[in-house]
Amino acid sequence: MSTAERSAKPAEKRSRYDVESLLAVAVEVFGERGYDGTSMDDLARAAGITKSSFYHHVKGKEELLGRSLDRALGGLFAALETAESDDGPAVKRLEGLLRGSVQVLVREFPHVRLLLRVRGNTETERAALARRREFDHRVTALVAAAEAEGDLRSAADPGLTARLLFGLINSLTEWYRPGGGLGERELADAVVDLALSGLRVRPT
Amino acid sequence: MSTAERSAKPAEKRSRYDVESLLAVAVEVFGERGYDGTSMDDLARAAGITKSSFYHHVKGKEELLGRSLDRALGGLFAALETAESDDGPAVKRLEGLLRGSVQVLVREFPHVRLLLRVRGNTETERAALARRREFDHRVTALVAAAEAEGDLRSAADPGLTARLLFGLINSLTEWYRPGGGLGERELADAVVDLALSGLRVRPT
């Protein structure tokens, strides 16, 4: 038996798995079938291991959901805190947050997509929704601060503006695919340019 | 038996149903359970009629899906055609399309939300996805025309700009609820203002 044949043996394949790689498999399956529609059997089949091997690594599918949502929320809150700690004007903090959020979306793509589909059917999901609400409140506060400093027009309510901004960013999960030719920087530039400067040519 | 009691009899309730009212029930159930997860039993139960009464009105759930997607796409294409027939500059046609699309989203809310969740598992869904692609191409052409006329900055590719614009509009289905205090006009103003003028104060 050649080395190549040996390395394809199920036993060898199994030994390569850890929580991290099972999480990567699980989040893809959740993305395809929905969390509620995914069983541990589906996850074990997708990973190519037995269900009992799977349970050796994680307690169940809700643990994997929790880890995935933590990954997405951890990234988004880190971006928020980095932005908030900038001592420039609020509009600069807001721009930093928009760029940081696009970056998290690109880098943690399947986790962010899963977060956006959470509807609150389990304790883990309800905790994630509560953190999303806190995130939204802090974005609204940043928009309000930038309006108060006179750098943003205050045509709409800050809460509505915050929803539109993150609606725009979150909608990327509907069509964007990482590695598909459009880079993280180009995508962030397009989002920030649309949101802050608008598409219309400015009078010179 | 009082009049109120008589009017609550199942037989009387059943007689009030027609295709239109069954469609309204079905689109709500599809929205809650997903189209794939909904059976004719679920639909009959939600409508409060027997499955055989249901089949008296429609051939099956795919007919209801088709009618719902036609409602959404019919509205969106009507908005597109109204906008395209405006003989003003392309940027005005684009603004008209954005406003018209927000209006359709508000007025045909559950149908548009269902359209946006379609993934192409049935012939009816694949036909709807093909019409969505045609819609996107025509939006892209409108963006390109407005750039060519010098009214829109051409920082990003017109296709990317079209995706961002409709990502912004489509994301409204994630949080907006018709009749919840924020009117159609106010919502359209906020979307158009963000997209065309941007949030940042313009130098005066």
Side-chain angles (χ1 to χ4, degrees):
Chain A
M1 188 185 273
S2 72
T3 311
E5 279 169 321
R6 267 216 318 279
S7 71
K9 275 197 307 176
E12 298 245 345
K13 193 173 173 197
R14 181 158 63 239
S15 69
R16 286 203 318 271
Y17 277 103
D18 56 14
V19 174
E20 196 55 28
S21 54
L22 291 177
L23 177 60
V25 170
V27 75
E28 289 300 331
V29 181
F30 293 157
E32 283 160 28
R33 309 174 66 97
Y35 174 72
D36 293 330
T38 302
S39 66
M40 281 296 276
D41 279 316
D42 296 325
L43 294 180
R45 200 174 310 116
I49 62 178
T50 63
K51 210 157 71 165
S52 70
S53 305
F54 215 112
Y55 279 115
H56 176 71
H57 296 285
V58 293
K59 277 188 295 226
K61 69 170 189 165
E62 195 167 347
E63 179 183 335
L64 290 162
L65 176 69
R67 284 176 182 269
S68 174
L69 299 179
D70 277 347
R71 187 76 72 84
L73 285 162
L76 289 169
F77 273 90
L80 178 63
E81 277 148 24
T82 301
E84 286 174 337
S85 69
D86 185 303
D87 56 9
V91 67
K92 189 159 162 274
R93 299 203 292 281
L94 181 64
E95 178 176 340
L97 173 62
L98 298 179
R99 289 189 181 280
S101 299
V102 172
Q103 193 176 77
V104 171
L105 183 137
V106 171
R107 296 186 185 175
E108 305 290 359
F109 188 82
H111 304 291
V112 173
R113 185 174 56 182
L114 189 60
L115 173 66
L116 298 176
R117 291 180 183 172
V118 155
R119 291 293 173 264
N121 297 330
T122 62
E123 194 46 56
T124 300
E125 290 170 271
R126 285 187 289 276
L129 289 177
R131 290 180 74 195
R132 276 195 71 184
R133 281 192 295 276
E134 193 208 327
F135 187 87
D136 292 346
H137 287 147
R138 285 162 71 174
V139 178
T140 300
L142 211 44
V143 170
E147 288 181 4
E149 291 173 13
D151 290 320
L152 290 192
R153 294 177 304 116
S154 49
D157 170 77
L160 173 57
T161 298
R163 280 180 185 279
L164 294 177
L165 287 172
F166 273 81
L168 174 62
I169 291 176
N170 295 341
S171 75
L172 301 176
T173 56
E174 293 295 318
W175 60 268
Y176 180 74
R177 294 297 171 266
L182 182 63
E184 177 184 303
R185 177 62 187 272
E186 198 183 345
L187 192 60
D189 284 347
V191 166
V192 166
D193 188 62
L194 175 70
L196 296 186
S197 303
L199 296 173
R200 210 191 290 270
V201 169
R202 295 190 174 214
T204 47
Chain B
M1 186 186 274
S2 72
T3 311
E5 279 169 321
R6 267 216 318 279
S7 73
K9 275 197 308 178
E12 298 246 346
K13 194 173 173 194
R14 181 159 61 241
S15 70
R16 286 204 318 270
Y17 277 103
D18 55 16
V19 174
E20 196 55 28
S21 54
L22 292 176
L23 177 61
V25 170
V27 73
E28 289 301 331
V29 181
F30 293 157
E32 283 160 28
R33 309 174 67 99
Y35 174 72
D36 294 331
T38 301
S39 66
M40 281 295 278
D41 279 318
D42 296 326
L43 294 180
R45 200 175 309 114
I49 62 177
T50 63
K51 209 157 71 167
S52 69
S53 305
F54 216 111
Y55 279 116
H56 176 69
H57 295 287
V58 294
K59 275 186 297 223
K61 69 171 189 164
E62 195 168 346
E63 178 183 335
L64 290 162
L65 175 69
R67 284 175 181 269
S68 174
L69 299 179
D70 277 346
R71 187 76 71 87
L73 286 161
L76 289 168
F77 273 90
L80 178 62
E81 278 150 24
T82 300
E84 286 175 338
S85 68
D86 186 303
D87 55 8
V91 67
K92 190 159 160 274
R93 298 202 292 278
L94 181 64
E95 179 177 338
L97 173 62
L98 299 178
R99 291 190 179 278
S101 299
V102 172
Q103 193 176 77
V104 171
L105 184 137
V106 171
R107 296 186 184 176
E108 305 290 358
F109 189 80
H111 304 290
V112 173
R113 185 175 57 184
L114 188 61
L115 173 67
L116 297 176
R117 291 181 182 168
V118 155
R119 289 294 171 265
N121 297 330
T122 61
E123 194 46 55
T124 300
E125 290 171 271
R126 285 187 288 276
L129 289 177
R131 291 181 75 194
R132 276 194 72 184
R133 281 192 295 275
E134 192 208 327
F135 187 87
D136 293 346
H137 287 147
R138 285 163 71 175
V139 178
T140 300
L142 211 44
V143 170
E147 288 182 4
E149 291 173 10
D151 290 319
L152 290 192
R153 295 177 305 115
S154 50
D157 171 77
L160 174 56
T161 298
R163 280 180 185 282
L164 294 178
L165 287 173
F166 273 81
L168 174 61
I169 291 176
N170 294 341
S171 74
L172 301 176
T173 56
E174 293 296 317
W175 60 270
Y176 180 74
R177 292 299 172 264
L182 183 63
E184 175 185 305
R185 177 63 187 271
E186 199 183 344
L187 192 61
D189 283 347
V191 166
V192 166
D193 189 61
L194 174 72
L196 296 186
S197 304
L199 295 174
R200 209 191 292 270
V201 169
R202 296 191 174 212
T204 48

